[in-house]
């Protein structure tokens, strides 16, 4: 078992190695305002990127602004986002969130999140129905706000668990705090974004859910799970 300082050192070495493989700084993949990023994140839950992106663009084409989505008949919103997983749940939830923001802020904008501490901004977002740690971090990190908040998706989580940064039993939600605390407090938003992106990319391209490519993994000597998986091959060699 590693102590916190050792885990932080390991997290930094993993980050360094993955940056060499995938290239840092990683370009931001879009530049949505924070409210649009929130909508995009809600649509993407358990949905492939291509389908959620298509649904997001369909909403923008169908209504001139998010006020229109908020006030539209729910059946029309559901039909517009029909390509995502569970549109019958996401349409009313999206409208509920837009109405809640309007009630709290007097209009539909999340630009005020730029002016408050990251933890306060995340707490505010997570008071919205259906918004958890991953979505709050995504809104702050991926949007035009460019705040230093670390999202953790399933790929990121899998790499962290296999390399021993977190216990395998720790769920994705609570892993956000643990993994963020392992990174230097002074890291910029770009560095935090890079960390998420390279961990995610490694999960997608090497550390697969099934049959991970441990034999070509740059993290193998740091990865207890990979070493255990490779042990039978080494014994036969």
């Amino acid at each position: 078992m590693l102590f916190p300082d050792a885990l932080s050192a390991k997290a930094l070495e993993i980050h360094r190695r993955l940056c060499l493989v995938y290239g840092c700084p990683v370009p931001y993949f879009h530049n949505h305002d924070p409210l649009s990023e929130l909508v995009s994140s809600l649509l993407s839950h358990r949905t492939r990127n291509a389908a959620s992106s298509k649904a997001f663009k369909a909403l923008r084409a169908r209504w001139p602004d998010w006020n229109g989505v908020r006030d539209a008949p729910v059946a029309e919103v559901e039909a517009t986002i029909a390509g995502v997983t569970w549109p019958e749940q996401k349409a009313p939830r999206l409208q509920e969130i837009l109405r809640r923001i309007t009630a709290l802020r007097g209009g539909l904008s999340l630009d005020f999140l730029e002016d408050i501490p990251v933890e306060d901004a995340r707490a505010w977002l997570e008071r919205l129905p259906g918004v958890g740690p991953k979505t709050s971090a995504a809104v702050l990190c991926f949007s035009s706000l460019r705040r230093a908040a670390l999202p953790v998706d399933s790929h990121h989580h899998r790499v962290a668990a296999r390399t021993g940064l977190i216990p395998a039993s720790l769920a994705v939600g609570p892993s956000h705090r643990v993994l963020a605390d392992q990174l230097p407090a002074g890291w910029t938003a770009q560095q935090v974004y890079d960390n998420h992106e390279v961990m995610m990319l490694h999960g997608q391209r090497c550390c697969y859910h099934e049959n991970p490519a441990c034999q070509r993994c740059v993290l193998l000597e740091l990865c207890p799970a990979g070493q255990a998986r490779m042990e039978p091959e080494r014994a036969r060699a």
Side-chain angles (χ1 to χ4, degrees), residues 89-157:
Q89 296 177 23
K90 290 180 178 177
R93 175 58 58 84
L94 173 57
Q95 289 188 307
E96 181 185 9
I97 287 172
L98 294 175
R99 286 193 290 267
R100 180 67 175 155
I101 294 170
T102 303
L104 290 171
R105 298 295 304 171
L108 278 177
S109 173
L110 294 178
D111 293 349
F112 76 97
L113 296 174
E114 182 176 14
D115 301 320
I116 61 177
V118 166
E119 289 306 310
D120 293 346
R122 293 189 67 173
W124 193 94
L125 287 165
E126 289 173 29
R127 287 194 288 270
L128 298 173
V131 175
K134 179 185 173 185
T135 300
S136 71
V139 169
L140 297 176
C141 182
F142 298 157
S143 77
S144 56
L145 295 179
R146 305 290 193 246
R147 305 296 303 275
L150 181 70
V152 179
D153 71 356
S154 59
H155 302 293
H156 186 157
H157 182 268

Side-chain angles (χ1 to χ4, degrees), residues 25-214:
V26 180
Y28 284 91
F29 56 90
H30 59 217
N31 194 41
H32 292 328
D33 67 85
L35 180 59
S36 297
E37 183 60 51
L38 175 59
V39 174
S40 176
S41 294
L42 293 167
L43 294 173
S44 71
H45 182 59
R46 298 293 180 90
T47 300
R48 293 185 180 277
N49 288 340
S52 61
S53 177
K54 183 178 180 180
F56 179 87
K57 290 175 181 176
L59 288 175
R60 298 306 300 260
R62 175 68 179 79
W63 289 281
D65 54 33
W66 298 121
N67 295 285
V69 176
R70 179 195 62 201
D71 300 335
V74 67
E76 289 187 25
V77 177
E78 181 181 337
T80 304
I81 63 170
V84 304
T85 308
W86 307 313
E88 73 285 355
Q89 296 177 23
K90 290 180 178 177
R93 175 58 58 84
L94 173 57
Q95 289 188 307
E96 181 185 9
I97 287 172
L98 294 175
R99 286 193 290 267
R100 180 67 175 155
I101 294 170
T102 303
L104 290 171
R105 298 295 304 171
L108 278 177
S109 173
L110 294 178
D111 293 349
F112 76 97
L113 296 174
E114 182 176 14
D115 301 320
I116 61 177
V118 166
E119 289 306 310
D120 293 346
R122 293 189 67 173
W124 193 94
L125 287 165
E126 289 173 29
R127 287 194 288 270
L128 298 173
V131 175
K134 179 185 173 185
T135 300
S136 71
V139 169
L140 297 176
C141 182
F142 298 157
S143 77
S144 56
L145 295 179
R146 305 290 193 246
R147 305 296 303 275
L150 181 70
V152 179
D153 71 356
S154 59
H155 302 293
H156 186 157
H157 182 268
R158 182 169 63 253
V159 175
R162 286 177 174 169
T163 55
L165 293 179
I166 55 173
S169 59
L170 186 67
V172 173
S175 76
H176 282 76
R177 170 68 66 182
V178 176
L179 292 171
D181 286 348
Q182 291 172 3
L183 303 180
W187 264 18
T188 65
Q190 177 71 62
Q191 289 171 306
V192 172
Y193 174 76
D194 288 345
N195 184 257
H196 165 69
E197 287 291 303
V198 298
M199 294 284 278
M200 179 189 69
L201 288 169
H202 197 62
Q204 292 174 333
R205 300 180 185 180
C206 183
C207 191
Y208 309 121
H209 177 67
E210 295 183 5
N211 301 316
C214 300

